[in-house]
Amino acid sequence: GVGPPPLIGANNVLELQMVAANEGEGAYEAQLAVHLPTGAHYMRAISDIKGFERLICNQKKENETKMVLCELGNPMKRNARIGITMLVSVENLEEAGEHVSFWLQIRSKNSQNPNSEAVLLDVPVRAEAHVELRGNSFPASLVVIAEEDSKENSSNIWGPKVEHTYELHNNGPGAASGLRLSLCLPGQSQPSDLLYILDIQPQGGLQCSPQPTPNPYKLNWRQPTPSPSPTS
């Protein structure tokens, strides 16, 4: 068993719960072997056996993977059953995919059946990102007087300039991919045109695709759609 799913971008502590049982003869130099996934680090392990609560465990490398070896007794007696809780910190899960995997096995020095079958423990990974959009206008407000003949002379009539600034923040803890921000502005207030988009200045690697292209002489400008690239 395992605790809550680890969160991408956060420092997670997993609580692995395992049961080691010996159903055969006494197992000499019995050990619990736990293969750790990338980004995982062993912290400590505790058993449910009175007087044997703090297990002696060592982390080492085996075949380019990290492994934890915990002493289960020499010998681990016949019909012995040990409940084990192992705490493991897990980080850097951006490339983990949908889960991280732990391989568990009991090893011993017995001449027959020295090792148990390996058990795979898959831990699902969850993603979470708190994205916030902020905006302000300079000036904060203005008065626009509609002109009846503005359509005929729109290229010669310029109203006051307004500058809008929008900020998109990812407060984490994980990265947010595939984000798309759509801004819809009022293009017309009958009987005259209301807003013309003069310029768009994206920052921070954003890619904007206004529809249509900014043109101060084009009537009925509607629905610009800036499209941010993935942010972190």
Side-chain angles (χ1 to χ4, degrees):
V2 69
L7 182 63
I8 294 175
N11 229 343
N12 304 277
V13 176
L14 295 184
E15 188 176 278
L16 306 180
Q17 297 174 342
M18 302 161 279
V19 176
N22 180 15
E23 298 174 351
E25 73 276 6
Y28 292 94
E29 296 184 34
Q31 295 179 319
L32 169 67
V34 180
H35 291 260
L36 303 180
T38 302
H41 305 277
Y42 166 74
M43 297 174 66
R44 65 179 180 273
I46 301 170
S47 84
D48 61 355
I49 305 299
K50 190 172 182 179
F52 189 52
E53 288 89 356
R54 192 82 177 196
L55 286 179
I56 299 175
C57 301
N58 294 298
Q59 179 176 293
K60 69 172 196 173
K61 260 197 170 184
E62 183 178 279
N63 297 330
E64 300 304 317
T65 63
K66 282 191 296 187
M67 184 177 63
V68 178
L69 290 174
C70 295
E71 305 296 332
L72 297 181
N74 188 20
M76 181 182 183
K77 297 179 181 179
R78 178 176 179 146
N79 296 325
R81 188 179 181 86
I82 305 173
I84 300 165
T85 300
M86 181 178 292
L87 297 184
V88 178
S89 66
V90 183
E91 57 186 1
N92 300 328
L93 293 173
E94 282 79 4
E95 306 298 327
E98 296 183 354
H99 60 261
V100 288
S101 300
F102 297 82
W103 284 95
L104 319 175
Q105 188 180 46
I106 297 177
R107 301 178 176 181
S108 73
K109 298 295 185 181
N110 284 22
S111 59
Q112 293 182 341
N113 303 322
N115 302 331
S116 71
E117 290 187 8
V119 174
L120 174 63
L121 177 58
D122 279 336
V123 180
V125 173
R126 64 191 174 101
E128 185 176 305
H130 298 281
V131 180
E132 179 183 0
L133 181 63
R134 306 169 191 168
N136 59 62
S137 173
F138 181 79
S141 62
L142 53 82
V143 176
V144 177
I145 300 176
E147 299 288 344
E148 292 294 334
D149 60 349
S150 62
K151 283 186 177 293
E152 299 176 5
N153 303 311
S154 60
S155 62
N156 300 319
I157 296 176
W158 293 93
K161 179 182 176 182
V162 181
E163 185 174 292
H164 282 191
T165 302
Y166 301 94
E167 295 180 353
L168 185 62
H169 295 260
N170 179 13
N171 299 318
S177 61
L179 288 182
R180 184 180 181 89
L181 171 64
S182 296
L183 301 176
C184 302
L185 305 181
Q188 191 177 68
S189 177
Q190 296 296 339
S192 64
D193 294 295
L194 183 61
L195 290 178
Y196 294 118
I197 303 301
L198 300 178
D199 189 24
I200 297 176
Q201 299 178 352
Q203 296 179 1
L206 301 184
Q207 296 179 351
C208 295
S209 301
Q211 298 172 357
T213 302
N215 184 342
Y217 302 108
K218 187 176 179 69
L219 300 180
N220 299 329
W221 191 93
R222 294 178 186 273
Q223 285 192 308
T225 311
S227 305
S229 60
T231 60
S232 58

